[in-house]
Amino acid sequence: MQFESVIGLEIHVQLATRSKIFSGAATAFGADPNTQACPVDLGLPGVLPVLNREAVRMALTFGLAIDGEIAPTCRFDRKNYFYPDLPKGYQISQFEQPIVGRGKITLESAGGTDKARTIGITRAHLEEDAGKSLHDAFAGLTGVDLNRAGTPLLEVVSDPDLRTPEEAAAFFREMHVLVRTLRICDGNLNEGSMRCDANISVRPVGASELGERTEIKNLNSFRFVERALRHEIERQVDVLESGGQVERETRLYDAERDETRSMRGKELSDDYRYFPDPDLLPVRITPDLLQEARAHLPELPWAKRARYVDDLGLTDYAARALVSDPDTAAFFDAILDSGADARLAANWVMDHVAAMLNRHETDIAQCPVSATQVARLIGRIEDGTISNTAAKTVFDAMWEEGGDIDAIIDAKGLRQMRDTDELARIVARIVDQHPEQVAELRAGKTRLLGFFVGQVMRETRGKADPRQVNALLKQTLGAP
Amino acid sequence: MNAHESIAELRRGLLDKRYSAVELTEHCLAEIDTSASLNCFITVARDEAVAAAKAADAAIARGEAGPLTGVPLAHKDVFCTEGVRTTCGSRMLANFIAPYDATVVSKLAAAGAVCLGKTNMDEFAMGSSNETSWFGPARNPWDPERAPGGSSGGSAAAVSAGLVPCATGTDTGGSIRQPAAFCGVTGLKPTYGRVSRYGMVAFASSLDQGGAFARDADDVATLLKIMEGHDPRDSTSTDTGPTAFRGPEPMTIGLPAEYWDNLDAAMGARLEAATRELEAAGHALTTLSLPHTRAAVSAYYVIASAEASANLSRYDGVRFGYRAEASEDIDELYRRSRAEGFGAEVKRRILTGTYALSIGYYDAYYLQAQRVRRLIRQDFLDAFNRVDVIAAPVTPSVAFELGAVTDPVDMYRQDAFTIPASLSGLPAMSMPCGMLDRLPVGLQLIAPHFEEGRILNLAAQYQRRTDWHRRHPDISIDAGSRAEREGADAV
């Protein structure tokens, strides 16, 4: 029997506010344990939550980006459960009235096919993050670090519209690009800035009813989403094919062992006893607040990709690569704004700029060579002043020491030869000096053309335009 | 000099240099020591008080006295005080020292008040007799065998006994008004949102409201003026501007039949005498109906317990408060810390509240109670279209004996007259209006939202015409001869 899988994702997006969702404590990652937790985060007796306006604004910007429904009011509820890293014994979340209702995003080429697929988003709601339990830090004991407690989260819940592990990963990836483009999340997966849980069931192809589902927690990379879901599909299919039944349960993905294992079964399914948090008033989404959120909407990833492909003539691959990192896309756009050719600019950003950033382990926002300088450098390639190779030398020099492009070109003697007669004389001389090779080439050993190009380039110390050298050689040697 | 004087009188004494703030503070501390058997205080902050009094004297000397400079005061032990433990009357917090002051505490300190300590209360403010306190009940200064009321019993008793001229309290379902009535002092529960809840250990967040006890309505007004106002740290506090301490003249006073019918005859007679006095002062009396009153106690115990069940989840033995040692695992740590740290009444309400919020019961209990709450509130809003204030009994009886009310539901019924105003978020107060069986009787005055000024004004008028608020128990003699001496039984 053939099976198909039905997948829905819940993605927790840590909002990049400076302070926490209900307190003034900082949200920065990596501080010493419990140094960024104020009385409100610690849940001390008598403290009260006060909603962070910026978290609301960010959630609204997200809602607008996914074309989500935004009701005139939303509300916060208490979700009750005991856990050592949950200081109040309840989490402030949104249950009945989320800030963002039904929306959608379209995956342009999901799961390796070229067919666009629209994935429904059930809702997105604001909530506070819990702290962290550190099980390995103290022998026989569990440590609790409450720095993360109260960090704002936007929990995005997809409809069960995803059909393959690849598609699920593509959805996660697209959300990752979106929240970073919206500047509402730093997207650092290894710091837990985005965390993903998946609900998955399988059913015979053609069946209309859904199978029993399991929830897989802790899928914190695109690769893990894909791998864990693939494993879980296999496991569920095995269970069904051997005549068993899939049990509703929560499973944890263990990346080291590359497997999922049962966390808790449905007999322990929780009753969170949600009720409206009496410490917080209902939030009115005023037209002013919505306008402010709209003003923060940048060009959205899908619109940007369409522009790169349709207007600039970039390949789909290039568009996807550039847009996948909003800082890179911004850098690229800034190069274009300075008048550079789009395809050259794209190649530069993805090739040499990326290589240098990689080598220096930095990111493009910290690139010492500005987009304007790159644009001018590309201009020097376009006007024939320097070769592409020479431009890389200039770029590296600017990276290391800064300085004026033309001054560097002159100082390093990189200016391309523009005197065709002079070049023709050099070509003729090289040809004369290598009669044997000329004979072999004429006899059909065409790869020797490269030898001649190399000789000419050496003679001109790289200043000749290789295209011109090629043309002149072919002309002189009568090669095909 | 004694703490039976009003804030206004003491302030004059301090500013006229008849005595210093240190002298006044030492006097009150000595009274507290002498009256230790009343168990009004859980913690006496002696050193802090003397230091604050010295600072007050310095401020007076510089001519920089604030509205309360040098005036002794006590805080109900539900308000967090930096550096002085805040127990909430519970073993759970018996050693808890907050790293911050409640907004109410810092506002009163900024006004110059000298805090003498933290007063006894029912555990987590859950109780109407002070008997649920882990530290044993405070006693009623009029008769130490009787309850001072609750939950703010320690504050009411301390003011009544003349240990302090004023004290803070909190009122969730009657916790200021009932002890005020039992102890014969003036107590106000402001409109929900008038006073910041920041730093007030939460019982039921949608009902809890800080207020004050004092000798008379003028002193209460003085305290309210300092305590009130929007607090950026409490989203439910409102910014309606300062209380206007006046009302329409004359006022129409509504007497709700549901409160006045079936009252104990002697109690009813004393309360009616009080309303006749208001009539004699020129105000009009009219009867009215608040038809949903009888559902209030049930709705209250569902809502308050539901909120409490979540509010008290933070007491898990992990970060602060009581921790059962030598637990095998986290579940045992939770179970034992909570089993040993909380008293029976607190557990009862956590269980009730947890039940009311559970799947399958939420609609029938929690949502139904919220619907009742809206109806009760609407009753009041309709009534206030016809009348300016409402007058009612505070309690069905005078102070009962400690140990006399054993059934929890009977205890809950003690709050039947105070709960409706709490559910509606309305300002309400109790003022002394007579004696019955040598024990004080209180009249409740209820105003529309943010119209505290009306009832404070009305009470002040009453208190200019009567001296019930001036009477106080003589705590220097034993109970038997006190009865002889007081003889203040007449209406």
Side-chain angles (χ1 to χ4, degrees):
Chain A
M1 194 184 290
Q2 280 287 91
F3 288 92
E4 69 168 358
S5 50
V6 177
I7 303 165
L9 295 188
E10 291 171 15
I11 301 173
H12 290 83
V13 179
Q14 266 188 11
L15 296 178
T17 55
R18 275 177 305 177
S19 59
K20 293 185 176 177
I21 184 167
F22 298 120
S23 84
T27 52
F29 178 84
D32 285 343
N34 299 311
T35 55
Q36 286 183 175
C38 71
V40 174
D41 308 320
L42 296 174
L44 290 187
V47 298
L48 295 169
V50 176
L51 181 58
N52 181 335
R53 192 174 189 279
E54 187 63 1
V56 173
R57 200 281 298 159
M58 287 181 174
L60 290 175
T61 299
F62 177 84
L64 293 169
I66 61 157
D67 201 13
E69 289 169 10
I70 294 169
T73 61
C74 66
R75 201 178 73 189
F76 285 92
D77 300 284
R78 291 182 181 179
K79 178 181 181 179
N80 296 284
Y81 65 96
F82 282 98
Y83 205 72
D85 59 25
L86 185 71
K88 297 186 294 297
Y90 60 83
Q91 178 192 29
I92 305 177
S93 181
Q94 296 191 299
F95 184 54
E96 281 191 358
Q97 298 177 21
I99 186 163
V100 177
R102 177 154 290 287
K104 60 180 186 305
I105 65 166
T106 299
L107 301 179
E108 289 142 10
S109 54
T113 72
D114 284 338
K115 247 195 297 175
R117 289 252 293 135
T118 296
I119 307 300
I121 291 174
T122 318
R123 57 185 281 164
H125 67 255
L126 283 166
E127 62 185 24
E128 57 179 343
D129 208 343
K132 273 185 197 161
S133 292
L134 309 167
H135 297 293
D136 304 323
F138 310 94
L141 295 169
T142 294
V144 175
D145 176 7
L146 295 176
N147 282 352
R148 200 179 68 182
T151 299
L153 294 179
L154 186 68
E155 181 175 334
V156 182
V157 183
S158 88
D159 289 343
D161 286 347
L162 301 159
R163 288 291 171 271
T164 63
E166 294 76 19
E167 200 168 78
F171 178 79
F172 190 14
R173 203 174 265 122
E174 185 71 343
M175 293 304 300
H176 184 251
V177 172
L178 176 61
V179 298
R180 289 164 73 237
T181 302
L182 297 175
R183 308 281 180 190
I184 63 173
C185 175
D186 67 19
N188 288 331
L189 297 176
N190 51 8
E191 292 177 3
S193 295
M194 276 181 89
R195 308 195 291 274
C196 179
D197 302 337
N199 283 293
I200 169 143
S201 62
V202 298
R203 64 182 172 190
V205 169
S208 57
E209 280 185 20
L210 292 170
E212 186 60 89
R213 68 166 193 265
T214 59
E215 182 181 11
I216 312 175
K217 289 203 172 285
N218 202 26
L219 305 175
N220 299 337
S221 80
F222 309 127
R223 201 159 48 96
F224 289 170
V225 166
E226 214 171 309
R227 274 167 40 178
L229 286 172
R230 203 172 294 134
H231 282 301
E232 182 57 15
I233 292 167
E234 275 173 28
R235 194 191 67 83
Q236 290 191 9
V237 168
D238 281 351
V239 168
L240 294 176
E241 285 186 335
S242 59
Q245 281 190 324
V246 173
E247 299 249 351
R248 165 90 63 107
E249 62 182 346
T250 301
R251 299 179 72 84
L252 189 73
Y253 179 64
D254 183 337
E256 271 172 38
R257 297 187 187 186
D258 194 19
E259 62 181 25
T260 67
R261 60 170 182 272
S262 186
M263 269 174 82
R264 54 174 186 255
K266 72 170 173 186
E267 67 278 9
L268 291 171
S269 85
D270 298 296
D271 174 1
Y272 290 117
R273 305 189 307 280
Y274 284 99
F275 75 104
D277 191 332
D279 287 332
L280 291 159
L281 301 172
V283 182
R284 289 200 308 129
I285 308 301
T286 60
D288 282 356
L289 200 55
L290 263 183
Q291 189 46 47
E292 191 187 327
R294 196 168 278 118
H296 278 83
L297 270 184
E299 183 182 30
L300 295 170
W302 39 91
K304 206 181 262 292
R305 283 192 296 259
R307 175 165 65 86
Y308 288 178
V309 173
D310 299 343
D311 300 356
L312 304 179
L314 301 189
T315 62
D316 202 49
Y317 172 81
R320 208 155 264 289
L322 290 170
V323 172
S324 73
D325 176 61
D327 289 334
T328 303
F331 195 86
F332 171 70
D333 281 338
I335 298 175
L336 295 188
D337 288 345
S338 300
D341 172 75
R343 266 182 284 192
L344 266 177
N347 285 339
W348 262 82
V349 170
M350 292 190 297
D351 178 23
H352 194 63
V353 176
M356 283 294 278
L357 292 169
N358 210 19
R359 191 181 311 157
H360 290 88
E361 292 180 351
T362 183
D363 48 53
I364 200 155
Q366 264 71 54
C367 183
V369 183
S370 72
T372 322
Q373 287 173 309
V374 175
R376 282 178 40 213
L377 197 53
I378 290 170
R380 287 291 176 273
I381 301 169
E382 286 184 285
D383 68 14
T385 306
I386 52 172
S387 67
N388 199 58
T389 312
K392 291 179 183 176
T393 308
V394 176
F395 182 90
D396 294 355
M398 286 197 291
W399 181 295
E400 298 296 344
E401 290 148 31
D404 178 66
I405 290 177
D406 292 324
I408 295 171
I409 292 172
D410 287 336
K412 293 192 179 286
L414 297 171
R415 202 169 285 276
Q416 212 153 236
M417 276 184 71
R418 307 182 81 171
D419 185 338
T420 316
D421 293 344
E422 169 72 17
L423 188 59
R425 277 194 292 277
I426 293 170
V427 167
R429 192 162 68 240
I430 296 290
V431 169
D432 286 348
Q433 284 168 357
H434 298 86
E436 283 171 38
Q437 285 86 346
V438 171
E440 280 180 53
L441 183 115
R442 289 195 169 132
K445 206 170 175 185
T446 48
R447 65 183 170 81
L448 274 171
L449 188 63
F451 163 79
F452 283 102
V453 173
Q455 291 297 313
V456 175
M457 292 307 285
R458 196 164 69 182
E459 185 72 22
T460 60
R461 294 204 314 275
K463 284 188 274 183
D465 178 350
R467 283 170 301 181
Q468 206 180 356
V469 173
N470 242 307
L472 277 168
L473 278 167
K474 282 181 183 170
Q475 200 184 324
T476 312
L477 296 166
Chain B
M1 166 183 62
N2 73 68
H4 284 299
E5 290 180 58
S6 69
I7 293 174
E9 287 160 346
L10 292 170
R11 196 174 137 74
R12 250 191 316 278
L14 288 163
L15 295 183
D16 295 350
K17 313 262 167 69
R18 279 187 274 129
Y19 39 83
S20 70
V22 171
E23 285 168 338
L24 179 57
T25 295
E26 301 276 13
H27 166 78
C28 289
L29 289 170
E31 290 291 305
I32 291 169
D33 290 342
T34 313
S35 314
S37 64
L38 290 176
N39 204 20
C40 294
F41 282 79
I42 290 174
T43 305
V44 178
R46 209 169 293 275
D47 297 343
E48 292 84 351
V50 172
K54 282 182 181 155
D57 282 331
I60 292 167
R62 288 195 308 272
E64 292 170 5
L68 290 182
T69 297
V71 175
L73 151 161
H75 286 299
K76 183 179 183 180
D77 208 14
V78 74
F79 289 100
C80 286
T81 43
E82 187 177 349
V84 174
R85 71 172 177 163
T86 299
T87 72
C88 227
S90 181
R91 182 185 196 188
M92 186 61 89
L93 292 178
N95 293 313
F96 175 69
I97 297 178
Y100 65 96
D101 278 336
T103 298
V104 161
V105 170
S106 49
K107 281 188 165 188
L108 288 166
V114 174
C115 172
L116 302 190
K118 311 291 290 290
T119 60
N120 205 346
M121 57 182 284
D122 281 295
E123 185 178 11
F124 284 100
M126 298 174 186
S128 308
S129 67
N130 235 261
E131 289 166 290
T132 71
S133 171
W134 166 251
F135 302 89
R139 290 168 179 275
N140 193 318
W142 293 91
D143 176 355
E145 297 309 310
R146 288 177 187 269
S151 64
S152 315
S155 284
V159 175
S160 167
L163 312 185
V164 280
C166 56
T168 57
T170 57
D171 189 315
T172 305
S175 281
I176 288 176
R177 289 160 287 163
Q178 187 246 21
F182 276 14
C183 293
V185 297
T186 304
L188 171 74
K189 176 199 100 73
T191 311
Y192 181 81
R194 175 70 88 181
V195 171
S196 169
R197 291 187 295 119
Y198 188 81
M200 235 171 76
V201 179
F203 159 19
S205 311
S206 75
L207 295 154
D208 294 343
Q209 180 60 204
F213 297 93
R215 292 282 145 249
D216 58 35
D218 287 336
D219 280 2
V220 169
T222 299
L223 294 166
L224 179 62
K225 219 178 287 179
I226 294 158
M227 294 166 72
E228 70 184 0
H230 175 68
D231 179 359
R233 289 183 296 190
D234 175 4
S235 312
T236 62
S237 70
T238 45
D239 193 6
T240 51
T243 301
F245 290 99
R246 64 182 118 73
E249 280 298 328
M251 292 190 223
T252 304
I253 301 168
L255 307 174
E258 290 77 6
Y259 292 66
W260 289 89
D261 294 353
N262 308 318
L263 258 188
D264 167 83
M267 187 83 174
R270 272 148 191 80
L271 292 166
E272 274 175 45
T275 56
R276 279 199 304 276
E277 188 64 44
L278 291 170
E279 196 175 32
H283 303 290
L285 301 180
T286 180
T287 54
L288 54 82
S289 173
L290 298 168
H292 297 95
T293 301
R294 74 188 164 82
V297 173
S298 313
Y300 171 84
Y301 277 94
V302 170
I303 293 166
S305 303
E307 293 179 9
S309 73
N311 281 334
L312 271 62
S313 292
R314 69 191 62 200
Y315 308 109
D316 57 7
V318 173
R319 295 165 314 284
F320 53 79
Y322 181 81
R323 172 190 285 202
E325 292 302 335
S327 299
E328 283 295 311
D329 56 27
I330 186 68
D331 288 323
E332 192 191 339
L333 176 77
Y334 288 153
R335 253 193 319 271
R336 284 188 43 214
S337 298
R338 290 168 69 78
E340 295 164 20
F342 288 139
E345 183 58 31
V346 170
K347 287 178 197 163
R348 183 177 293 118
R349 299 209 197 181
I350 291 173
L351 287 171
T352 308
T354 302
Y355 185 81
L357 291 174
S358 297
I359 287 176
Y361 300 99
Y362 182 79
D363 287 12
Y365 291 104
Y366 182 79
L367 287 184
Q368 179 68 4
Q370 294 290 7
R371 282 189 281 270
V372 170
R373 182 177 190 172
R374 279 193 292 278
L375 292 171
I376 287 169
R377 183 184 151 95
Q378 193 56 49
D379 280 356
F380 278 108
L381 296 183
D382 293 343
F384 285 124
N385 285 329
R386 294 177 44 216
V387 300
D388 300 308
V389 302
I390 285 170
V394 183
T395 55
S397 70
V398 291
F400 48 81
E401 285 182 2
L402 289 166
V405 182
T406 50
D407 181 75
V409 177
D410 287 343
M411 190 66 91
Y412 298 169
R413 288 203 190 97
Q414 294 293 322
D415 300 331
F417 298 146
T418 49
I419 278 173
S422 294
L423 286 173
S424 310
L426 295 168
M429 67 186 292
S430 172
M431 62 168 185
C433 71
M435 300 294 287
L436 180 62
D437 303 330
R438 302 177 191 93
L439 293 164
V441 173
L443 179 72
Q444 182 174 210
L445 298 172
I446 306 170
H449 293 110
F450 301 105
E451 295 288 351
E452 285 85 348
R454 287 189 194 175
I455 49 179
L456 287 167
N457 191 356
L458 196 61
Q461 289 181 30
Y462 178 83
Q463 290 175 341
R464 279 194 285 278
R465 302 170 66 93
T466 60
D467 69 347
W468 299 111
H469 63 290
R470 283 273 162 202
R471 304 197 185 190
H472 55 79
D474 186 347
I475 56 168
S476 62
I477 50 174
D478 65 75
S481 51
R482 176 180 314 127
E484 309 279 320
R485 283 267 300 271
E486 277 306 320
D489 211 357
V491 176

